[in-house]
Amino acid sequence: MTEFTQISALIGGGLIGLSALILMLMIGRVAGCSGILTESLSFSKSANSERAWRLSFIVGLVLGPVLTANISGFTLPQGDQFSWTIAVLGGLVVGIGAAIGNGCTSGHGICGMGRFSKRSIVATLTFMVTAFVTVFVTNHL
Amino acid sequence: MKALIGLISGLIFGIGLTVSQMVDPQKVINFLDVFGTWDPSLAFVMGGALIVFGLGHWFIIRPKQKAVLGDNIPTISDAGIDKPLLVGASIFGIGWGLSGVCPGPAVANFSSLNPAMLAFIFFMIIGLKLGKLTKERLAAAR
C-alpha cells in the first residue's frame, strides 16, 4: 500500500520533463536513460565523443536524490526493495527489453510521446500493457 | 559545456524522480496493480513530465533549426512499427512489472548502496548489452 500523492507526483514529473527539455533544447540530445547508460559504456568511435555529457548526466542522476534528501523530506526508499531473484531476473529482462525496443519509460514515454512519435506511443502502450498484466499475474493469480 | 548541460539535466531528472517517488519500486508496483491497492500517482508523474516536455518542445524546440549549442535536433524515427519495437517493449514491460524499476530510477537509487538494487543495476547493464548485441545480430541477418 502506498499513498496517492498527486501533488508531489505532478511536481516531480514536471521536473523530469524540464530535464528532458533542457537536454534537447541545449544540446539536441534525447533524455533516454537506457540509451544514455548503454552508450556511456560503449567504446565505438561515435560513442567516445559523446561520453562526457552521458557520464555527467549519470552523475547528476545519482547526485539528484542525494541533494533532494538533504534539502527536503523526500528520500530514496530504504532497505531491500525486492528479492535477489527479482533483482537478477528483473534487471536482465528490463535491460534486454529496453535495448531491443530502443528505449524505456523516459525515452519512449516522455521524449518520444511528448513529440508525438508513433513508434514511441506504440512502445509505451505495449510496455504498459505487459507491465499491468505482469503485476496482475504476480499479485492476483 | 555539453558535459555541464548533461550534469544539470541529470541532476534535475534525479530530483524529479525522488520528489515524485518514482524511485520507490513499491510506488510503481502499486500503480500497476489496478485490481489491488491501486495508487494512481505515477499517471501524474507521466502527465507532469509530458505537459512540461510536450509544451516546451512544441513552442520552444520545434520552431528552432538547431539546438542552442549548435547541435542538430534529433529527428523522430520514421522506421515504422517493427517487430523489435513490439517484442522489446513487451519484454521491458514484463521486467518493469516484476521489479517496479526502470533504468532511470535504477541509476537514481545507486547511492542507497542497497545490495539487491546494486545487483539490479549490474544485471540491467548486462541485459542492455545483450539486448543491443541481439538487435545488431538480427539487423545484420536481415
Side-chain angles (χ1 to χ4, degrees):
Chain A
M1 188 74 194
T2 50
E3 222 180 307
F4 178 31
T5 48
Q6 61 273 51
I7 304 294
S8 54
L10 202 60
I11 294 171
L15 286 168
I16 296 170
L18 177 68
S19 151
L21 186 66
I22 290 173
L23 200 66
M24 194 174 285
L25 175 66
M26 295 304 291
I27 67 173
R29 298 297 189 273
V30 176
C33 293
S34 57
I36 291 175
L37 190 57
T38 314
E39 295 310 313
S40 73
L41 298 166
S42 161
F43 295 91
S44 67
K45 231 184 191 155
S46 59
N48 281 338
S49 57
E50 299 283 303
R51 195 171 340 273
W53 77 263
R54 284 186 175 129
L55 284 180
S56 46
F57 181 93
I58 293 169
V59 170
L61 192 50
V62 171
L63 292 182
V66 180
L67 188 72
T68 314
N70 275 305
I71 55 175
S72 75
F74 295 104
T75 58
L76 290 174
Q78 302 301 309
D80 283 328
Q81 305 303 314
F82 33 61
S83 66
W84 284 94
T85 317
I86 295 293
V88 175
L89 194 68
L92 274 176
V93 175
V94 162
I96 291 172
I100 295 179
N102 246 349
C104 57
T105 330
S106 48
H108 280 314
I110 298 162
C111 298
M113 291 226 298
R115 297 194 293 160
F116 305 106
S117 152
K118 221 194 280 170
R119 273 170 64 83
S120 290
I121 294 170
V122 170
T124 306
L125 291 177
T126 306
F127 67 65
M128 282 288 180
V129 168
T130 59
F132 277 116
V133 171
T134 303
V135 171
F136 183 76
V137 171
T138 53
N139 280 6
H140 300 286
L141 294 184
Chain B
M1 190 60 192
K2 261 170 135 172
L4 181 66
I5 301 294
L7 180 70
I8 293 169
S9 174
L11 266 175
I12 301 175
F13 205 109
I15 296 170
L17 284 174
T18 316
V19 170
S20 67
Q21 283 303 293
M22 225 184 134
V23 283
D24 183 355
Q26 281 311 311
K27 198 87 180 154
V28 176
I29 301 271
N30 279 312
F31 168 72
L32 296 169
D33 196 4
V34 187
F35 298 102
T37 50
W38 194 45
D39 172 2
S41 304
L42 217 76
F44 286 70
V45 183
M46 273 302 248
L50 279 172
I51 290 168
V52 173
F53 180 78
L55 288 178
H57 173 262
W58 190 263
F59 290 109
I60 306 170
I61 298 179
R62 205 181 50 112
K64 292 178 78 74
Q65 303 289 325
K66 294 250 177 205
V68 174
L69 293 184
D71 303 80
N72 288 324
I73 291 164
T75 54
I76 293 165
S77 167
D78 54 3
I81 311 303
D82 51 19
K83 229 190 242 168
L85 184 79
L86 294 172
V87 173
S90 302
I91 296 174
F92 172 74
I94 294 171
W96 192 36
L98 280 175
S99 61
V101 185
C102 53
V107 175
N109 265 297
F110 183 83
S111 64
S112 75
L113 298 179
N114 176 271
M117 188 58 84
L118 295 181
F120 183 96
I121 298 172
F122 178 76
F123 283 97
M124 180 180 77
I125 291 172
I126 295 189
L128 285 167
K129 288 285 172 192
L130 282 177
K132 193 184 168 196
L133 273 175
T134 311
K135 197 176 61 182
E136 285 165 357
R137 285 274 167 86
L138 288 174
R142 220 171 290 138

